């Protein structure tokens, strides 16, 4: 049975660690050393990290790499990526280099609308609710002016408020469905503050509406919250070139490569089992850049996968075709991102990552992130339809296997050289290491 404790959050960081080690990790005599060795020597920097969340005990590191040679709308980028999975950065870099001489990536932001909702129950007549909403809508906007003033000065704010009848799904259930423009901010706190003000006004004003019967005056607010489903916050990324330019020095013609590539994408469009893995590859690139730039990858993941299911079946986010001798590979994806607020102004590495990208606006970052996802997908499909996915991935994973078995630098050099022309498998690497040691 697990131990419980009162007042844990009030303990110092060292006291928290002592309790954890003594209660759960007593068989690991290196546990405290492992936790404390990741503390930053700069006490001010460590305090900054400690205060991001509650009950911090240490820092959890991920590698921060870069993928160079991305040409996006004629501008060169080196893209920062925070990720632990072998081969992701290498694959993105390889795809960027491939398209560098073929016109690069073309992108455009289609729309940037974000959504929030006030969910409430109402037991009266719908026509009475409609009359009330029509009357109270201007007051909803007016009462939120103290929240929206600064956003409006920059050109953003509330776009519209709709009343939605959801009683066919749940008895008495309605929504205030609100659209927002938040510019360079992801906008979660802004949206949620507006929604909570709407809920307060909507509930209070109902008490004085003459069009309601006495029983109808009491509106039950269930919750007020933004949505991470943003199908109208869309960005498009694509690459294209004549089919003959796809040929490489591997004996595969451009036409053969293009046809098999398009077939692979079609399979992901109709087969959910394949689509999930296909889209996971896209998210390898997207999540890595989102993490590096201090954005919320969990919100993006949720919204993206909902978007992939919007037609009733889970499907590929990317698409490909050959038309009139031109190969085109593209993707339209919902991305609600920010370049101000949150970690973007706090985390030193996030600041540097955004500086590396030439301090992009939220719209520019949407385009960069979408390109990283498309590049990752192209690299994966290129491997799958030619050499197979394991050849490149396992060569990148080779060092992880060697580190797992604490190989020395000399052993690493010898084994890397041995596997330059051999297929890398976990068993083969372990056996080779054992033979070398014996």
């Amino acid at each position: 049975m697990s131990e419980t404790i009162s007042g844990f959050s009030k303990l110092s960081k060292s006291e928290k660690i002592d309790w954890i080690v003594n209660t759960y990790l007593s068989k690991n005599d290196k546990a405290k050393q492992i936790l404390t060795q990741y503390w930053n020597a700069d006490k001010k920097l460590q305090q900054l990290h400690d205060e991001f969340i509650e009950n911090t005990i240490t820092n959890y590191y991920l590698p921060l790499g870069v993928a160079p040679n991305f040409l996006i709308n004629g501008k060169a980028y080196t893209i920062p990526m925070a990720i632990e999975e072998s081969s992701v950065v290498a694959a993105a870099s390889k795809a960027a280099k491939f398209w560098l001489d073929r016109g690069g990536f073309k992108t455009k932001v289609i729309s940037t609308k974000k959504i929030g909702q006030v969910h409430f129950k109402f037991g009266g007549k719908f026509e009475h609710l409609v009359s009330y909403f029509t009357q109270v809508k201007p007051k909803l906007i007016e009462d939120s002016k103290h929240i929206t003033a600064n956003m409006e000065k920059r050109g953003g704010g509330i776009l519209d408020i709709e009343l939605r009848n959801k009683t066919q799904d749940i008895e008495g259930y309605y929504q205030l469905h609100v659209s927002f423009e938040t510019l360079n901010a992801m906008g979660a706190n802004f949206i949620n503050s507006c929604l909570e003000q709407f809920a307060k006004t909507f509930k209070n004003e109902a008490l004085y509406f003459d069009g309601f019967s006495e029983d109808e005056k009491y509106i039950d607010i269930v919750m007020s919250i933004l949505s991470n489903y943003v199908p109208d916050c869309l960005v498009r990324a694509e690459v294209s070139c004549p089919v003959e330019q796809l040929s490489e020095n591997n004996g595969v013609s451009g036409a053969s490569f293009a046809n098999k590539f398009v077939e692979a994408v079609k399979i992901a469009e109709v087969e959910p089992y394949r689509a999930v893995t296909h889209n996971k590859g896209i998210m390898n690139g997207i999540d890595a850049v989102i993490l590096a730039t201090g954005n919320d990858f969990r919100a993006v993941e949720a919204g993206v996968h909902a978007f992939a299911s919007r037609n009733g079946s889970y499907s590929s986010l990317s698409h490909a075709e050959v038309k009139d001798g031109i190969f085109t590979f593209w993707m339209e994806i919902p991305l609600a991102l920010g370049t101000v607020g949150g970690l973007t102004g706090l985390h030193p590495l996030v600041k540097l990552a955004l500086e590396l990208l030439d301090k992009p606006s939220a719209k520019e970052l949407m385009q960069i992130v979408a390109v990283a996802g498309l590049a990752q997908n192209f690299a994966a499909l290129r491997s799958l339809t030619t050499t197979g996915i394991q050849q490149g991935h396992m060569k990148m994973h080779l060092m992880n296997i060697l580190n797992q078995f604490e190989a020395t630098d000399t052993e690493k050099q010898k084994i890397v050289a041995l596997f330059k022309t051999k297929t890398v498998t976990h068993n083969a690497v372990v056996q080779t290491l054992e033979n070398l040691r014996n």
Side-chain angles (χ1 to χ4, degrees), residues 218-236:
Y218 298 95
I219 291 175
D220 179 19
I221 303 294
V222 179
M223 58 184 168
S224 309
I225 186 70
L226 89 162
S227 173
N228 290 128
Y229 184 42
V230 284
D232 293 319
C233 193
L234 275 180
V235 58
R236 178 185 174 98

Side-chain angles (χ1 to χ4, degrees), residues 86-87 90 94 250 379-380 382-384 386-398 419-425:
S86 303
S87 78
K94 192 173 182 181
N250 57 6
R382 184 185 182 196
S383 293
L384 281 168
T386 53
T387 61
I389 200 73
Q390 285 301 85
Q391 184 184 91
H393 177 76
M394 288 305 293
K395 282 191 182 297
M396 294 300 299
H397 191 53
L398 172 60
F419 277 92
K420 275 187 175 177
T421 56
K422 293 174 62 178
T423 300
V424 177
T425 67

